[in-house]
Short mmCIF file of all heavy atoms in Angstrom, two decimals:
data_model
loop_
_atom_site.label_atom_id
_atom_site.label_comp_id
_atom_site.label_asym_id
_atom_site.label_seq_id
_atom_site.Cartn_x
_atom_site.Cartn_y
_atom_site.Cartn_z
N PHE A 28 91.51 98.11 101.97
CA PHE A 28 92.91 97.70 101.89
C PHE A 28 93.77 98.84 102.41
O PHE A 28 93.67 99.97 101.91
CB PHE A 28 93.25 97.39 100.43
CG PHE A 28 94.64 96.91 100.18
CD1 PHE A 28 95.23 95.95 100.98
CD2 PHE A 28 95.37 97.40 99.09
CE1 PHE A 28 96.51 95.48 100.72
CE2 PHE A 28 96.64 96.94 98.82
CZ PHE A 28 97.22 95.98 99.63
N GLU A 29 94.59 98.58 103.41
CA GLU A 29 95.46 99.60 103.98
C GLU A 29 96.85 99.54 103.35
O GLU A 29 97.48 98.48 103.31
CB GLU A 29 95.56 99.43 105.50
CG GLU A 29 94.26 99.70 106.24
CD GLU A 29 94.43 99.67 107.74
OE1 GLU A 29 95.55 99.29 108.20
OE2 GLU A 29 93.48 100.04 108.45
N ILE A 30 97.32 100.69 102.88
CA ILE A 30 98.61 100.78 102.20
C ILE A 30 99.48 101.75 102.97
O ILE A 30 99.17 102.95 103.04
CB ILE A 30 98.44 101.25 100.75
CG1 ILE A 30 97.48 100.32 99.99
CG2 ILE A 30 99.78 101.33 100.04
CD1 ILE A 30 97.04 100.86 98.65
N PRO A 31 100.58 101.30 103.57
CA PRO A 31 101.45 102.22 104.31
C PRO A 31 102.19 103.16 103.37
O PRO A 31 102.70 102.74 102.33
CB PRO A 31 102.41 101.28 105.03
CG PRO A 31 102.43 100.04 104.21
CD PRO A 31 101.06 99.91 103.61
N LEU A 32 102.21 104.42 103.72
CA LEU A 32 102.95 105.42 102.94
C LEU A 32 104.22 105.74 103.71
O LEU A 32 104.19 106.37 104.75
CB LEU A 32 102.10 106.67 102.74
CG LEU A 32 100.76 106.45 102.04
CD1 LEU A 32 99.97 107.74 101.98
CD2 LEU A 32 100.97 105.89 100.63
N LYS A 33 105.35 105.31 103.19
CA LYS A 33 106.61 105.40 103.93
C LYS A 33 107.40 106.63 103.51
O LYS A 33 107.19 107.21 102.45
CB LYS A 33 107.43 104.13 103.69
CG LYS A 33 106.74 102.87 104.16
CD LYS A 33 107.56 101.64 103.86
CE LYS A 33 106.84 100.36 104.32
NZ LYS A 33 107.61 99.14 104.00
N GLY A 34 108.35 107.00 104.34
CA GLY A 34 109.24 108.11 104.04
C GLY A 34 108.50 109.42 103.92
O GLY A 34 107.59 109.73 104.70
N SER A 35 108.88 110.21 102.92
CA SER A 35 108.28 111.54 102.76
C SER A 35 106.81 111.46 102.42
O SER A 35 106.07 112.42 102.62
CB SER A 35 109.03 112.31 101.66
OG SER A 35 108.97 111.61 100.44
N PHE A 36 106.34 110.31 101.94
CA PHE A 36 104.94 110.18 101.57
C PHE A 36 104.04 109.87 102.77
O PHE A 36 102.82 109.82 102.63
CB PHE A 36 104.78 109.11 100.49
CG PHE A 36 105.41 109.50 99.18
CD1 PHE A 36 106.68 109.07 98.87
CD2 PHE A 36 104.75 110.33 98.30
CE1 PHE A 36 107.28 109.44 97.68
CE2 PHE A 36 105.35 110.72 97.11
CZ PHE A 36 106.62 110.27 96.79
N SER A 37 104.63 109.65 103.92
CA SER A 37 103.81 109.39 105.11
C SER A 37 103.10 110.65 105.58
O SER A 37 102.17 110.58 106.36
CB SER A 37 104.69 108.85 106.24
OG SER A 37 105.67 109.79 106.62
N ALA A 38 103.53 111.80 105.10
CA ALA A 38 102.83 113.06 105.41
C ALA A 38 102.32 113.66 104.11
O ALA A 38 102.52 114.83 103.82
CB ALA A 38 103.77 114.02 106.12
N ALA A 39 101.68 112.85 103.31
CA ALA A 39 101.23 113.27 101.99
C ALA A 39 100.27 114.44 102.08
O ALA A 39 99.33 114.42 102.88
CB ALA A 39 100.56 112.11 101.26
N ALA A 40 100.52 115.45 101.28
CA ALA A 40 99.65 116.62 101.27
C ALA A 40 98.43 116.41 100.40
O ALA A 40 97.38 116.98 100.64
CB ALA A 40 100.43 117.85 100.80
N GLU A 41 98.56 115.59 99.38
CA GLU A 41 97.47 115.46 98.43
C GLU A 41 97.45 114.06 97.84
O GLU A 41 98.47 113.56 97.37
CB GLU A 41 97.62 116.49 97.30
CG GLU A 41 96.50 116.47 96.29
CD GLU A 41 96.68 117.51 95.20
OE1 GLU A 41 97.57 118.37 95.36
OE2 GLU A 41 95.94 117.44 94.20
N VAL A 42 96.30 113.42 97.90
CA VAL A 42 96.09 112.12 97.28
C VAL A 42 94.89 112.23 96.37
O VAL A 42 93.83 112.71 96.78
CB VAL A 42 95.85 111.01 98.32
CG1 VAL A 42 95.59 109.67 97.62
CG2 VAL A 42 97.03 110.89 99.28
N SER A 43 95.05 111.81 95.11
CA SER A 43 93.93 111.89 94.17
C SER A 43 93.92 110.64 93.30
O SER A 43 94.97 110.04 93.02
CB SER A 43 94.05 113.14 93.29
OG SER A 43 95.28 113.15 92.57
N CYS A 44 92.75 110.24 92.88
CA CYS A 44 92.60 109.16 91.92
C CYS A 44 92.65 109.78 90.53
O CYS A 44 91.74 110.52 90.15
CB CYS A 44 91.28 108.41 92.13
SG CYS A 44 91.03 107.05 90.97
N ILE A 45 93.71 109.51 89.80
CA ILE A 45 93.88 110.14 88.48
C ILE A 45 93.33 109.28 87.35
O ILE A 45 93.18 109.77 86.23
CB ILE A 45 95.34 110.50 88.21
CG1 ILE A 45 96.25 109.26 88.26
CG2 ILE A 45 95.82 111.56 89.20
CD1 ILE A 45 97.67 109.55 87.81
N TYR A 46 93.02 108.00 87.64
CA TYR A 46 92.34 107.18 86.63
C TYR A 46 91.55 106.10 87.34
O TYR A 46 92.11 105.36 88.15
CB TYR A 46 93.33 106.56 85.66
CG TYR A 46 92.62 105.66 84.66
CD1 TYR A 46 91.93 106.21 83.58
CD2 TYR A 46 92.60 104.28 84.83
CE1 TYR A 46 91.25 105.39 82.69
CE2 TYR A 46 91.92 103.46 83.95
CZ TYR A 46 91.25 104.02 82.89
OH TYR A 46 90.55 103.22 82.01
N PRO A 47 90.23 105.99 87.02
CA PRO A 47 89.46 106.96 86.23
C PRO A 47 89.08 108.16 87.12
O PRO A 47 88.84 107.99 88.32
CB PRO A 47 88.23 106.16 85.82
CG PRO A 47 88.04 105.17 86.93
CD PRO A 47 89.41 104.83 87.43
N GLU A 48 88.98 109.31 86.55
CA GLU A 48 88.75 110.52 87.33
C GLU A 48 87.30 110.67 87.80
O GLU A 48 87.04 111.13 88.91
CB GLU A 48 89.15 111.76 86.53
CG GLU A 48 90.65 111.96 86.43
CD GLU A 48 91.01 113.30 85.84
OE1 GLU A 48 90.38 113.70 84.83
OE2 GLU A 48 91.91 113.95 86.38
N LYS A 49 86.35 110.29 86.97
CA LYS A 49 84.95 110.60 87.25
C LYS A 49 84.20 109.44 87.91
O LYS A 49 83.07 109.63 88.35
CB LYS A 49 84.24 111.01 85.96
CG LYS A 49 84.80 112.30 85.36
CD LYS A 49 84.05 112.70 84.11
CE LYS A 49 84.62 113.99 83.52
NZ LYS A 49 83.92 114.39 82.28
N LYS A 50 84.79 108.28 87.97
CA LYS A 50 84.10 107.15 88.59
C LYS A 50 84.37 107.16 90.09
O LYS A 50 85.48 107.44 90.53
CB LYS A 50 84.60 105.84 87.97
CG LYS A 50 83.66 104.67 88.20
CD LYS A 50 84.06 103.49 87.33
CE LYS A 50 83.13 102.30 87.51
NZ LYS A 50 81.77 102.59 87.08
N GLU A 51 83.37 106.85 90.87
CA GLU A 51 83.49 106.94 92.33
C GLU A 51 84.57 106.00 92.86
O GLU A 51 84.63 104.82 92.51
CB GLU A 51 82.15 106.58 92.98
CG GLU A 51 82.16 106.69 94.49
CD GLU A 51 80.81 106.38 95.10
OE1 GLU A 51 79.84 106.19 94.34
OE2 GLU A 51 80.74 106.31 96.34
N THR A 52 85.43 106.54 93.70
CA THR A 52 86.50 105.76 94.33
C THR A 52 86.57 106.14 95.80
O THR A 52 86.77 107.30 96.14
CB THR A 52 87.85 106.04 93.65
OG1 THR A 52 87.76 105.75 92.25
CG2 THR A 52 88.96 105.19 94.28
N ALA A 53 86.40 105.16 96.68
CA ALA A 53 86.40 105.41 98.13
C ALA A 53 87.80 105.20 98.69
O ALA A 53 88.37 104.11 98.61
CB ALA A 53 85.41 104.47 98.82
N PHE A 54 88.37 106.28 99.25
CA PHE A 54 89.67 106.15 99.90
C PHE A 54 89.81 107.24 100.95
O PHE A 54 89.18 108.30 100.88
CB PHE A 54 90.81 106.26 98.88
CG PHE A 54 90.95 107.60 98.23
CD1 PHE A 54 91.81 108.57 98.77
CD2 PHE A 54 90.25 107.92 97.07
CE1 PHE A 54 91.96 109.81 98.17
CE2 PHE A 54 90.38 109.16 96.46
CZ PHE A 54 91.24 110.11 97.01
N THR A 55 90.65 106.95 101.96
CA THR A 55 90.93 107.92 103.01
C THR A 55 92.42 107.89 103.31
O THR A 55 93.10 106.88 103.08
CB THR A 55 90.16 107.61 104.30
OG1 THR A 55 90.50 106.30 104.75
CG2 THR A 55 88.65 107.69 104.08
N VAL A 56 92.93 109.02 103.83
CA VAL A 56 94.33 109.10 104.26
C VAL A 56 94.34 109.45 105.74
O VAL A 56 93.74 110.43 106.16
CB VAL A 56 95.10 110.16 103.45
CG1 VAL A 56 96.56 110.22 103.91
CG2 VAL A 56 95.03 109.87 101.96
N ASN A 57 95.03 108.63 106.51
CA ASN A 57 95.13 108.86 107.95
C ASN A 57 96.59 108.69 108.36
O ASN A 57 97.08 107.56 108.47
CB ASN A 57 94.23 107.90 108.72
CG ASN A 57 94.24 108.17 110.21
OD1 ASN A 57 94.75 109.19 110.67
ND2 ASN A 57 93.68 107.24 110.98
N GLY A 58 97.27 109.80 108.56
CA GLY A 58 98.68 109.73 108.92
C GLY A 58 99.51 109.12 107.82
O GLY A 58 99.57 109.63 106.71
N ASN A 59 100.11 107.98 108.12
CA ASN A 59 100.98 107.33 107.14
C ASN A 59 100.31 106.16 106.45
O ASN A 59 100.98 105.23 105.99
CB ASN A 59 102.27 106.85 107.81
CG ASN A 59 102.00 105.78 108.85
OD1 ASN A 59 100.86 105.55 109.25
ND2 ASN A 59 103.06 105.11 109.29
N CYS A 60 99.00 106.18 106.35
CA CYS A 60 98.26 105.05 105.78
C CYS A 60 97.19 105.54 104.80
O CYS A 60 96.40 106.43 105.12
CB CYS A 60 97.62 104.23 106.90
SG CYS A 60 96.85 102.71 106.33
N LEU A 61 97.18 104.95 103.62
CA LEU A 61 96.13 105.17 102.64
C LEU A 61 95.21 103.95 102.66
O LEU A 61 95.68 102.81 102.48
CB LEU A 61 96.73 105.34 101.25
CG LEU A 61 95.76 105.32 100.06
CD1 LEU A 61 94.80 106.51 100.11
CD2 LEU A 61 96.52 105.31 98.74
#
């Protein structure tokens, strides 16, 4: 699922899954898209 990150979040410095922390979560950030 592609989620556009608009405005200041389009150049996000850090993306983390804060819940649940220890369970595997697959995600990538490419430019303005999570």
Side-chain angles (χ1 to χ4, degrees):
F28 182 45
E29 293 186 353
I30 304 169
L32 302 176
K33 299 178 181 179
S35 59
F36 293 97
S37 62
E41 182 179 349
V42 179
S43 58
C44 180
I45 59 172
Y46 177 78
E48 285 190 316
K49 296 181 180 179
K50 199 168 181 64
E51 182 178 354
T52 303
F54 67 92
T55 58
V56 180
N57 183 11
N59 64 347
C60 186
L61 169 65

